[in-house]
Amino acid sequence: MPVKQQIGIVISNKMQKTMVVKIENRYPHPLYSKTLIKTKKYLAHDELEQCNIGDQVLVEECRPLSKRKRWKLVQIISKSSLIN
């Protein structure tokens, strides 16, 4: 079975070696065809603590690392210009 990967935005990095990633899923309404956005927050493992708030990152599913943490950082796609 292939590993699930998602692109998201870091919204918090205050925990040690952990970040909160917001992932948006866009889909059309089944009847009215309006584009809806469903947002989900995941805890992801950041071993080197290199992510900042606003960074766009690629995360992939992995084995459970803690009670809520089941994703790990693969790469930083783009750094945020908000925080230096």
Side-chain angles (χ1 to χ4, degrees):
M1 193 157 115
V3 178
K4 191 182 295 185
Q5 292 187 334
Q6 298 276 349
I7 294 175
I9 297 173
V10 177
I11 57 174
S12 175
N13 64 347
K14 294 184 179 182
M15 296 170 274
Q16 295 177 355
K17 297 188 179 183
T18 304
M19 59 184 173
V20 181
V21 180
K22 175 180 74 170
I23 295 174
E24 291 183 346
N25 181 22
R26 295 173 182 262
Y27 62 98
H29 188 277
L31 180 60
Y32 302 114
S33 300
K34 178 181 178 178
T35 302
L36 302 174
I37 300 172
K38 186 173 280 192
T39 303
K40 188 104 168 126
K41 293 193 292 186
Y42 295 104
L43 294 183
H45 185 66
D46 182 11
E47 181 66 36
L48 303 176
E49 298 187 20
Q50 55 192 354
C51 291
N52 289 319
I53 297 171
D55 291 352
Q56 189 175 21
V57 295
L58 176 67
V59 292
E60 76 177 9
E61 209 170 25
C62 65
R63 65 180 177 84
L65 300 171
S66 66
K67 182 178 178 180
R68 292 183 55 211
K69 192 159 55 164
R70 274 117 176 94
W71 295 81
K72 66 180 179 181
L73 175 68
V74 176
Q75 75 177 52
I76 299 173
I77 296 171
S78 64
K79 296 292 266 181
S80 173
S81 61
L82 299 175
I83 299 174
N84 294 328

